[in-house]
Amino acid sequence: MKRILMKLLMIVTLLIYGIPGTVQASVSVSARSAILMEQESGRVLFEKDAHKVSRIASITKIMTAILAIESGKLDEMVKVSDRAVRAEGSSVYLKPGEKIRLEDLVYGLMLRSGNDAAVAIAEHVGGSVDGFVFMMNEKAQQIGMTDTHFANPHGLDDHENHVSTAYDMALLTRYAMNNEEYKKISGTKIHRAPNPTETWDRVWKNKNRLLTEKYKYSTGGKTGYTKRAKRTLVSTAKRGDFEMIAVTLNAPDDWNDHIQMFETAFSDYDIAEILSKGKVDGIKESQYKTKVYLDHSFVYPLTSEEEELVRVEYRLKKLGKDQRDLQNQKIAGRANVFLDDKQIASLPVYYKLEEKEQKSFFDFFKNIFTSIAGVKDHG
């Protein structure tokens, strides 16, 4: 009986506190869909219906912003059309016919969620709104956003098939945050832009209250709201070398949802460097010993319990005794990283020829050439 009671107690404890090493059970969010992803590895630390297809409102503008940035046209002047000015909802109050730098439009898009800015960007970068929407969906496919379809550049509820998921929006944000210009704009609290018909500048304060007042580790993001999508939010945070992305869809208490996800992960996880860039030690094969290296490191968020479950397996090609089988910086094999029994990474292992080996290669081919050419030493 005592043993049965102990088992029951253990089951109840797991149900209440969750399995060790996961954020999942200790986070409760108001959102219908949510996800927390680590930036460097892409590891999902928490999710709730993260693949549920939903309306996304203005977090759409993350895609609009990154396409504008990648166009290489940020310094170009954009002539604002009547269609852009007539865009419904949130606005930066552009004037028909005015000329404004594309870079300023992106700031207005991200900080103030200007729908007029979104249309002006789309027309300039894509040639038309339809042309830009095509670009949005092409980029979504490239990033791997398999459950996403864009129908406009701003996220308004004017199309039934303008949808995505929390997971897909985290993928998009992870991609965008690798761009330094996007990272800077997303994390800007206040931006000033020229106002062509006034003596004073436009001053845009970021609507993301996590960034401006609520959370000291916030590094940026994008807010969203429509009547049908409800509150949507993408935010990023960084503490030390630990960077994360949080996404919530249809979340009445989104600010606190994001803070809770970030704080729980910062508490439960550390960024561990599992593989270091440079020479690989511990290789026993004589042909590879002290001569193989990794061209980049591998880091991964782990709980203290998980650190004991990580192992690395090196799979190197078997070679004959002929040194000609080796070429400078040729991939010699793979370093496979496992967390428990699940493979989480596979990095190429390179072989580096020593200087004397490079010389022997040169002499080998020189001798072949000399033999073929019939060159003789006449002394």
Side-chain angles (χ1 to χ4, degrees):
M1 178 62 71
K2 187 176 180 181
R3 188 175 297 173
I4 293 171
L5 287 172
M6 287 295 291
K7 285 184 178 180
L8 286 172
L9 181 61
M10 185 179 295
I11 291 168
V12 171
T13 302
L14 287 174
L15 289 173
I16 295 173
Y17 295 104
I19 299 169
T22 67
V23 173
Q24 200 87 7
S26 55
V27 175
S28 177
V29 295
S30 70
R32 286 195 179 178
S33 300
I35 195 166
L36 183 68
M37 180 181 287
E38 194 268 322
Q39 170 71 35
E40 179 72 17
S41 67
R43 184 182 186 185
V44 175
L45 304 180
F46 169 80
E47 61 179 309
K48 175 186 176 183
D49 288 335
H51 296 276
K52 178 180 173 60
V53 176
S54 307
R55 294 178 179 277
I56 56 173
S58 285
I59 60 175
T60 295
K61 291 165 182 159
I62 296 170
M63 177 62 87
T64 304
I66 192 63
L67 286 176
I69 291 165
E70 290 182 345
S71 73
K73 300 178 179 180
L74 289 184
D75 288 330
E76 293 185 6
M77 299 302 290
V78 177
K79 186 176 181 180
V80 177
S81 70
D82 289 340
R83 178 176 179 177
V85 173
R86 291 197 306 269
E88 297 178 359
S90 56
S91 175
V92 293
Y93 305 104
L94 299 174
K95 299 173 180 67
E98 79 163 278
K99 292 184 178 180
I100 182 171
R101 275 199 319 161
L102 182 62
E103 182 182 27
D104 288 324
L105 284 175
V106 177
Y107 275 100
L109 176 86
M110 291 296 291
L111 274 62
R112 298 305 301 168
S113 204
N115 294 333
D116 49 355
V119 175
I121 290 168
E123 290 178 332
H124 188 78
V125 175
S128 67
V129 171
D130 288 343
F132 189 78
V133 168
F134 177 82
M135 293 172 63
M136 295 173 79
N137 287 309
E138 285 285 297
K139 178 62 73 173
Q141 286 186 12
Q142 293 171 18
I143 296 171
M145 301 170 69
T146 56
D147 292 316
T148 297
H149 184 268
F150 293 109
N152 60 53
H154 39 59
L156 288 173
D157 291 328
D158 55 0
H159 291 84
E160 291 296 323
N161 63 340
H162 187 89
V163 292
S164 187
T165 66
Y167 177 78
D168 279 6
M169 292 307 297
L171 289 183
L172 172 60
T173 305
R174 184 181 177 219
Y175 172 84
M177 286 295 286
N178 285 322
N179 183 293
E180 290 301 318
E181 188 69 28
Y182 173 87
K183 189 184 292 188
K184 182 183 77 172
I185 294 172
S186 175
T188 297
K189 295 180 179 180
I190 297 177
H191 180 73
R192 291 180 177 271
N195 194 336
T197 60
E198 304 292 345
T199 57
W200 39 268
D201 287 344
R202 294 173 167 126
V203 180
W204 294 326
K205 181 181 178 182
N206 202 318
K207 287 185 176 183
N208 181 1
R209 291 175 61 196
L210 288 177
L211 180 69
T212 59
E213 60 185 86
K214 282 185 170 290
Y215 193 54
K216 64 180 179 180
Y217 299 119
S218 176
T219 58
K222 183 71 193 75
T223 60
Y225 174 80
T226 65
K227 288 183 178 179
R228 299 179 71 178
K230 308 302 181 188
R231 292 178 66 88
T232 63
L233 179 64
V234 172
S235 72
T236 55
K238 180 179 181 181
R239 189 168 78 179
D241 56 358
F242 199 166
E243 295 185 67
M244 285 184 288
I245 301 156
V247 182
T248 50
L249 305 180
N250 193 344
D253 194 20
D254 50 9
W255 306 125
N256 287 326
D257 285 352
H258 284 235
I259 291 171
Q260 184 188 177
M261 286 191 286
F262 287 139
E263 283 296 296
T264 307
F266 283 142
S267 172
D268 289 359
Y269 287 83
D270 284 314
I271 297 296
E273 185 176 67
I274 297 173
L275 291 172
S276 300
K277 179 180 177 179
K279 189 170 288 188
V280 177
D281 296 322
I283 301 298
K284 296 179 180 179
E285 290 90 335
S286 59
Q287 290 172 307
Y288 289 129
K289 194 173 183 180
T290 74
K291 298 176 184 178
V292 288
Y293 68 97
L294 300 172
D295 69 346
H296 64 279
S297 61
F298 174 69
V299 299
Y300 201 71
L302 296 170
T303 65
S304 56
E305 294 91 346
E306 287 176 333
E307 289 178 8
E308 305 298 322
L309 302 175
V310 174
R311 72 180 194 279
V312 179
E313 292 183 1
Y314 291 98
R315 300 277 183 175
L316 302 177
K317 297 174 183 177
K318 293 193 179 296
L319 299 171
K321 295 181 180 180
D322 194 337
Q323 286 289 316
R324 284 173 294 175
D325 288 340
L326 299 174
Q327 297 176 16
N328 191 28
Q329 294 192 13
K330 185 176 178 65
I331 294 177
R334 313 283 306 180
N336 298 323
V337 184
F338 295 85
L339 176 56
D340 205 357
D341 291 325
K342 181 182 178 182
Q343 184 170 321
I344 57 174
S346 181
L347 278 66
V349 177
Y350 294 92
Y351 180 87
K352 180 74 172 178
L353 286 174
E354 301 292 342
E355 188 175 336
K356 62 182 180 180
E357 290 175 317
Q358 293 181 21
K359 184 178 178 182
S360 69
F361 270 148
F362 176 78
D363 290 342
F364 173 77
F365 286 111
K366 179 183 175 183
N367 291 337
I368 291 176
F369 176 78
T370 303
S371 175
I372 293 172
V375 177
K376 296 180 180 178
D377 185 359
H378 295 288

CSV table of all heavy atoms in Angstrom, one decimal, residues 62 110-111 173 177 182-189 206-212 215-223 233-238 243-247 255 258 262:
chain,number,residue,atom,x,y,z
A,62,ILE,N,6.0,42.1,-39.9
A,62,ILE,CA,7.4,41.6,-39.8
A,62,ILE,C,7.9,41.1,-41.2
A,62,ILE,O,9.0,41.4,-41.6
A,62,ILE,CB,7.5,40.4,-38.8
A,62,ILE,CG1,7.1,40.9,-37.4
A,62,ILE,CG2,8.9,39.8,-38.8
A,62,ILE,CD1,7.0,39.8,-36.3
A,110,MET,N,6.8,49.5,-38.3
A,110,MET,CA,7.1,48.6,-37.1
A,110,MET,C,6.8,49.3,-35.8
A,110,MET,O,6.3,48.6,-34.9
A,110,MET,CB,8.6,48.2,-37.1
A,110,MET,CG,9.0,47.3,-38.3
A,110,MET,SD,8.1,45.6,-38.1
A,110,MET,CE,9.0,45.0,-36.7
A,111,LEU,N,7.0,50.6,-35.7
A,111,LEU,CA,6.8,51.3,-34.4
A,111,LEU,C,5.4,51.6,-34.2
A,111,LEU,O,4.8,51.5,-33.1
A,111,LEU,CB,7.7,52.5,-34.3
A,111,LEU,CG,9.1,52.3,-33.7
A,111,LEU,CD1,9.9,51.4,-34.6
A,111,LEU,CD2,9.8,53.6,-33.6
A,173,THR,N,10.4,35.4,-37.4
A,173,THR,CA,11.1,36.3,-36.6
A,173,THR,C,12.5,35.9,-36.4
A,173,THR,O,13.5,36.7,-36.3
A,173,THR,CB,10.4,36.4,-35.2
A,173,THR,OG1,9.0,36.8,-35.5
A,173,THR,CG2,11.0,37.5,-34.3
A,177,MET,N,15.6,38.3,-37.3
A,177,MET,CA,16.5,38.8,-36.3
A,177,MET,C,17.9,38.5,-36.6
A,177,MET,O,18.9,39.0,-35.9
A,177,MET,CB,16.1,38.2,-34.9
A,177,MET,CG,14.9,38.8,-34.3
A,177,MET,SD,15.0,40.5,-33.8
A,177,MET,CE,16.1,40.4,-32.4
A,182,TYR,N,17.1,45.0,-39.4
A,182,TYR,CA,15.8,44.6,-38.9
A,182,TYR,C,15.9,44.7,-37.3
A,182,TYR,O,15.0,45.2,-36.7
A,182,TYR,CB,15.3,43.3,-39.3
A,182,TYR,CG,14.0,42.8,-38.6
A,182,TYR,CD1,12.8,43.2,-39.1
A,182,TYR,CD2,14.1,42.1,-37.4
A,182,TYR,CE1,11.6,42.9,-38.4
A,182,TYR,CE2,12.9,41.8,-36.7
A,182,TYR,CZ,11.7,42.2,-37.2
A,182,TYR,OH,10.6,41.9,-36.5
A,183,LYS,N,16.9,44.1,-36.8
A,183,LYS,CA,17.1,44.0,-35.3
A,183,LYS,C,17.1,45.4,-34.7
A,183,LYS,O,16.5,45.7,-33.7
A,183,LYS,CB,18.4,43.3,-35.0
A,183,LYS,CG,18.5,43.0,-33.5
A,183,LYS,CD,19.9,42.3,-33.2
A,183,LYS,CE,20.0,40.9,-33.8
A,183,LYS,NZ,21.2,40.2,-33.4
A,184,LYS,N,17.8,46.4,-35.4
A,184,LYS,CA,17.9,47.7,-35.0
A,184,LYS,C,16.5,48.4,-35.0
A,184,LYS,O,16.1,49.1,-34.0
A,184,LYS,CB,18.8,48.5,-35.8
A,184,LYS,CG,19.0,50.0,-35.4
A,184,LYS,CD,20.0,50.7,-36.3
A,184,LYS,CE,19.3,51.1,-37.6
A,184,LYS,NZ,20.1,52.0,-38.5
A,185,ILE,N,15.8,48.3,-36.1
A,185,ILE,CA,14.5,48.9,-36.2
A,185,ILE,C,13.5,48.4,-35.2
A,185,ILE,O,12.7,49.1,-34.6
A,185,ILE,CB,13.9,48.8,-37.7
A,185,ILE,CG1,14.8,49.6,-38.6
A,185,ILE,CG2,12.5,49.3,-37.8
A,185,ILE,CD1,14.5,49.4,-40.1
A,186,SER,N,13.4,47.0,-35.1
A,186,SER,CA,12.5,46.4,-34.2
A,186,SER,C,12.7,46.8,-32.8
A,186,SER,O,11.8,46.8,-32.0
A,186,SER,CB,12.7,44.8,-34.4
A,186,SER,OG,11.9,44.2,-33.4
A,187,GLY,N,14.0,47.1,-32.4
A,187,GLY,CA,14.3,47.4,-31.1
A,187,GLY,C,14.4,48.9,-30.8
A,187,GLY,O,14.8,49.4,-29.7
A,188,THR,N,13.9,49.7,-31.7
A,188,THR,CA,13.9,51.2,-31.6
A,188,THR,C,12.7,51.7,-30.8
A,188,THR,O,11.6,51.3,-31.1
A,188,THR,CB,14.0,51.9,-32.9
A,188,THR,OG1,15.2,51.6,-33.6
A,188,THR,CG2,13.9,53.4,-32.8
A,189,LYS,N,12.9,52.5,-29.8
A,189,LYS,CA,11.8,53.0,-28.9
A,189,LYS,C,11.2,54.2,-29.5
A,189,LYS,O,9.9,54.4,-29.4
A,189,LYS,CB,12.3,53.3,-27.5
A,189,LYS,CG,12.8,52.0,-26.8
A,189,LYS,CD,13.3,52.3,-25.4
A,189,LYS,CE,13.8,51.1,-24.7
A,189,LYS,NZ,14.3,51.3,-23.3
A,206,ASN,N,7.3,53.6,-30.1
A,206,ASN,CA,7.0,52.2,-30.4
A,206,ASN,C,5.8,51.7,-29.5
A,206,ASN,O,5.8,52.0,-28.3
A,206,ASN,CB,8.2,51.3,-30.0
A,206,ASN,CG,8.2,49.9,-30.7
A,206,ASN,OD1,7.2,49.3,-30.7
A,206,ASN,ND2,9.3,49.5,-31.2
A,207,LYS,N,4.9,51.0,-30.1
A,207,LYS,CA,3.7,50.6,-29.4
A,207,LYS,C,4.0,49.3,-28.5
A,207,LYS,O,3.1,48.9,-27.7
A,207,LYS,CB,2.6,50.2,-30.4
A,207,LYS,CG,1.9,51.3,-31.1
A,207,LYS,CD,0.7,50.8,-32.0
A,207,LYS,CE,0.0,52.0,-32.6
A,207,LYS,NZ,-1.2,51.5,-33.3
A,208,ASN,N,5.1,48.7,-28.7
A,208,ASN,CA,5.5,47.5,-27.9
A,208,ASN,C,5.9,47.9,-26.5
A,208,ASN,O,7.0,48.3,-26.2
A,208,ASN,CB,6.7,46.8,-28.6
A,208,ASN,CG,7.1,45.6,-27.9
A,208,ASN,OD1,6.5,45.2,-26.9
A,208,ASN,ND2,8.1,44.9,-28.5
A,209,ARG,N,4.9,47.8,-25.6
A,209,ARG,CA,5.2,48.2,-24.2
A,209,ARG,C,6.1,47.3,-23.5
A,209,ARG,O,6.7,47.8,-22.5
A,209,ARG,CB,3.8,48.3,-23.5
A,209,ARG,CG,2.9,49.4,-24.0
A,209,ARG,CD,1.5,49.4,-23.3
A,209,ARG,NE,1.6,49.5,-21.9
A,209,ARG,CZ,0.7,49.3,-21.0
A,209,ARG,NH1,-0.5,48.8,-21.5
A,209,ARG,NH2,0.8,49.4,-19.7
A,210,LEU,N,6.4,46.1,-23.9
A,210,LEU,CA,7.4,45.3,-23.3
A,210,LEU,C,8.8,46.0,-23.5
A,210,LEU,O,9.6,46.0,-22.6
A,210,LEU,CB,7.5,43.9,-24.0
A,210,LEU,CG,6.3,42.9,-23.6
A,210,LEU,CD1,6.5,41.6,-24.4
A,210,LEU,CD2,6.3,42.6,-22.1
A,211,LEU,N,9.0,46.6,-24.7
A,211,LEU,CA,10.2,47.2,-25.0
A,211,LEU,C,10.3,48.6,-24.3
A,211,LEU,O,11.4,48.9,-23.8
A,211,LEU,CB,10.3,47.4,-26.5
A,211,LEU,CG,11.6,48.1,-27.1
A,211,LEU,CD1,12.8,47.3,-26.9
A,211,LEU,CD2,11.4,48.5,-28.5
A,212,THR,N,9.3,49.3,-24.3
A,212,THR,CA,9.3,50.7,-23.8
A,212,THR,C,9.2,50.9,-22.3
A,212,THR,O,9.7,51.8,-21.7
A,212,THR,CB,8.3,51.6,-24.5
A,212,THR,OG1,7.0,51.0,-24.2
A,212,THR,CG2,8.5,51.6,-26.0
A,215,TYR,N,9.5,45.4,-19.7
A,215,TYR,CA,10.4,44.3,-19.5
A,215,TYR,C,11.8,44.7,-19.9
A,215,TYR,O,12.1,45.0,-21.1
A,215,TYR,CB,9.9,43.1,-20.4
A,215,TYR,CG,10.6,41.8,-20.1
A,215,TYR,CD1,10.6,41.3,-18.8
A,215,TYR,CD2,11.2,41.1,-21.1
A,215,TYR,CE1,11.2,40.1,-18.5
A,215,TYR,CE2,11.8,39.8,-20.8
A,215,TYR,CZ,11.8,39.4,-19.5
A,215,TYR,OH,12.5,38.2,-19.2
A,216,LYS,N,12.7,44.7,-19.0
A,216,LYS,CA,14.0,45.2,-19.2
A,216,LYS,C,14.9,44.3,-20.2
A,216,LYS,O,15.9,44.8,-20.8
A,216,LYS,CB,14.8,45.3,-17.9
A,216,LYS,CG,15.1,44.0,-17.2
A,216,LYS,CD,15.8,44.3,-15.8
A,216,LYS,CE,16.1,43.0,-15.1
A,216,LYS,NZ,16.8,43.3,-13.8
A,217,TYR,N,14.5,43.1,-20.4
A,217,TYR,CA,15.3,42.2,-21.3
A,217,TYR,C,14.7,42.3,-22.7
A,217,TYR,O,15.2,41.6,-23.6
A,217,TYR,CB,15.3,40.8,-20.8
A,217,TYR,CG,16.0,40.7,-19.4
A,217,TYR,CD1,15.3,40.2,-18.3
A,217,TYR,CD2,17.3,41.1,-19.3
A,217,TYR,CE1,15.9,40.1,-17.1
A,217,TYR,CE2,18.0,41.0,-18.0
A,217,TYR,CZ,17.3,40.5,-17.0
A,217,TYR,OH,17.9,40.3,-15.7
A,218,SER,N,13.6,43.0,-23.0
A,218,SER,CA,13.0,43.1,-24.3
A,218,SER,C,14.0,43.7,-25.3
A,218,SER,O,14.6,44.7,-25.0
A,218,SER,CB,11.7,43.9,-24.2
A,218,SER,OG,11.1,44.0,-25.5
A,219,THR,N,14.0,43.1,-26.5
A,219,THR,CA,14.8,43.7,-27.6
A,219,THR,C,14.0,44.1,-28.8
A,219,THR,O,14.6,44.6,-29.8
A,219,THR,CB,15.9,42.6,-28.0
A,219,THR,OG1,15.3,41.4,-28.4
A,219,THR,CG2,16.9,42.3,-26.8
A,220,GLY,N,12.7,43.9,-28.8
A,220,GLY,CA,11.9,44.3,-29.9
A,220,GLY,C,10.7,43.4,-30.1
A,220,GLY,O,10.3,42.6,-29.3
A,221,GLY,N,10.1,43.5,-31.3
A,221,GLY,CA,8.9,42.7,-31.6
A,221,GLY,C,7.9,43.5,-32.4
A,221,GLY,O,8.2,44.6,-32.9
A,222,LYS,N,6.7,43.0,-32.4
A,222,LYS,CA,5.6,43.6,-33.2
A,222,LYS,C,4.3,43.3,-32.5
A,222,LYS,O,4.0,42.1,-32.2
A,222,LYS,CB,5.6,43.2,-34.6
A,222,LYS,CG,4.6,43.9,-35.5
A,222,LYS,CD,4.9,45.3,-35.8
A,222,LYS,CE,3.7,46.1,-36.3
A,222,LYS,NZ,2.7,46.4,-35.3
A,223,THR,N,3.5,44.3,-32.4
A,223,THR,CA,2.1,44.2,-31.8
A,223,THR,C,1.1,44.0,-32.9
A,223,THR,O,1.4,44.3,-34.1
A,223,THR,CB,1.7,45.4,-31.0
A,223,THR,OG1,1.7,46.6,-31.9
A,223,THR,CG2,2.7,45.6,-29.8
A,233,LEU,N,0.9,39.1,-30.7
A,233,LEU,CA,2.1,39.8,-30.3
A,233,LEU,C,3.3,38.8,-30.6
A,233,LEU,O,3.3,37.6,-30.3
A,233,LEU,CB,2.1,40.1,-28.8
A,233,LEU,CG,3.3,40.7,-28.2
A,233,LEU,CD1,3.6,42.1,-28.8
A,233,LEU,CD2,3.2,40.8,-26.6
A,234,VAL,N,4.3,39.4,-31.2
A,234,VAL,CA,5.6,38.8,-31.3
A,234,VAL,C,6.6,39.6,-30.5
A,234,VAL,O,6.6,40.9,-30.7
A,234,VAL,CB,6.1,38.7,-32.8
A,234,VAL,CG1,7.5,38.2,-32.9
A,234,VAL,CG2,5.2,37.8,-33.6
A,235,SER,N,7.4,39.0,-29.7
A,235,SER,CA,8.5,39.8,-29.0
A,235,SER,C,9.7,39.0,-28.8
A,235,SER,O,9.7,37.8,-28.9
A,235,SER,CB,8.0,40.2,-27.6
A,235,SER,OG,7.9,39.1,-26.7
A,236,THR,N,10.8,39.7,-28.7
A,236,THR,CA,12.2,39.1,-28.5
A,236,THR,C,12.8,39.6,-27.2
A,236,THR,O,12.5,40.7,-26.8
A,236,THR,CB,13.1,39.4,-29.7
A,236,THR,OG1,13.2,40.8,-29.9
A,236,THR,CG2,12.5,38.8,-31.0
A,237,ALA,N,13.6,38.8,-26.6
A,237,ALA,CA,14.3,39.1,-25.4
A,237,ALA,C,15.7,38.5,-25.3
A,237,ALA,O,15.9,37.5,-25.9
A,237,ALA,CB,13.5,38.7,-24.2
A,238,LYS,N,16.6,39.2,-24.6
A,238,LYS,CA,17.9,38.7,-24.5
A,238,LYS,C,18.5,39.0,-23.1
A,238,LYS,O,18.3,40.1,-22.6
A,238,LYS,CB,18.8,39.4,-25.5
A,238,LYS,CG,20.3,38.9,-25.5
A,238,LYS,CD,21.1,39.6,-26.5
A,238,LYS,CE,22.5,39.2,-26.5
A,238,LYS,NZ,23.4,39.8,-27.5
A,243,GLU,N,19.0,34.4,-26.2
A,243,GLU,CA,18.1,35.1,-26.9
A,243,GLU,C,16.9,34.3,-27.3
A,243,GLU,O,17.0,33.1,-27.7
A,243,GLU,CB,18.7,35.6,-28.3
A,243,GLU,CG,19.8,36.6,-28.1
A,243,GLU,CD,20.3,37.2,-29.4
A,243,GLU,OE1,19.6,37.9,-30.1
A,243,GLU,OE2,21.5,36.9,-29.8
A,244,MET,N,15.7,34.9,-27.1
A,244,MET,CA,14.4,34.1,-27.3
A,244,MET,C,13.4,34.9,-28.1
A,244,MET,O,13.4,36.1,-28.2
A,244,MET,CB,13.8,33.7,-26.0
A,244,MET,CG,14.6,32.5,-25.3
A,244,MET,SD,13.8,32.0,-23.8
A,244,MET,CE,14.1,33.4,-22.7
A,245,ILE,N,12.5,34.1,-28.7
A,245,ILE,CA,11.4,34.7,-29.5
A,245,ILE,C,10.1,34.1,-28.8
A,245,ILE,O,10.0,32.9,-28.6
A,245,ILE,CB,11.4,34.2,-30.9
A,245,ILE,CG1,12.7,34.7,-31.6
A,245,ILE,CG2,10.2,34.7,-31.7
A,245,ILE,CD1,13.1,33.8,-32.8
A,246,ALA,N,9.1,35.0,-28.6
A,246,ALA,CA,7.8,34.6,-28.1
A,246,ALA,C,6.7,35.1,-29.0
A,246,ALA,O,6.8,36.2,-29.5
A,246,ALA,CB,7.6,35.1,-26.7
A,247,VAL,N,5.8,34.2,-29.3
A,247,VAL,CA,4.6,34.6,-30.1
A,247,VAL,C,3.4,34.1,-29.4
A,247,VAL,O,3.3,33.0,-28.9
A,247,VAL,CB,4.7,33.9,-31.5
A,247,VAL,CG1,3.5,34.3,-32.4
A,247,VAL,CG2,6.0,34.1,-32.2
A,255,TRP,N,1.0,40.8,-22.7
A,255,TRP,CA,2.2,41.3,-22.1
A,255,TRP,C,2.7,40.3,-21.0
A,255,TRP,O,3.9,39.9,-21.0
A,255,TRP,CB,2.0,42.6,-21.5
A,255,TRP,CG,1.5,43.7,-22.3
A,255,TRP,CD1,0.4,44.5,-22.1
A,255,TRP,CD2,2.0,44.2,-23.6
A,255,TRP,NE1,0.1,45.4,-23.1
A,255,TRP,CE2,1.1,45.2,-24.0
A,255,TRP,CE3,3.1,43.8,-24.4
A,255,TRP,CZ2,1.3,45.9,-25.2
A,255,TRP,CZ3,3.3,44.5,-25.6
A,255,TRP,CH2,2.4,45.5,-26.0
A,258,HIS,N,4.0,36.9,-22.3
A,258,HIS,CA,5.4,36.9,-22.8
A,258,HIS,C,6.4,37.0,-21.6
A,258,HIS,O,7.4,36.3,-21.7
A,258,HIS,CB,5.6,38.0,-23.8
A,258,HIS,CG,5.0,37.8,-25.1
A,258,HIS,ND1,5.7,37.9,-26.3
A,258,HIS,CD2,3.7,37.4,-25.4
A,258,HIS,CE1,4.9,37.6,-27.3
A,258,HIS,NE2,3.7,37.3,-26.8
A,262,PHE,N,9.3,34.1,-20.9
A,262,PHE,CA,10.7,34.5,-20.9
A,262,PHE,C,11.4,34.2,-19.5
A,262,PHE,O,12.4,33.6,-19.4
A,262,PHE,CB,10.9,36.0,-21.2
A,262,PHE,CG,10.7,36.4,-22.6
A,262,PHE,CD1,10.0,37.5,-23.0
A,262,PHE,CD2,11.2,35.6,-23.7
A,262,PHE,CE1,9.8,37.9,-24.3
A,262,PHE,CE2,10.9,36.0,-25.0
A,262,PHE,CZ,10.3,37.1,-25.3
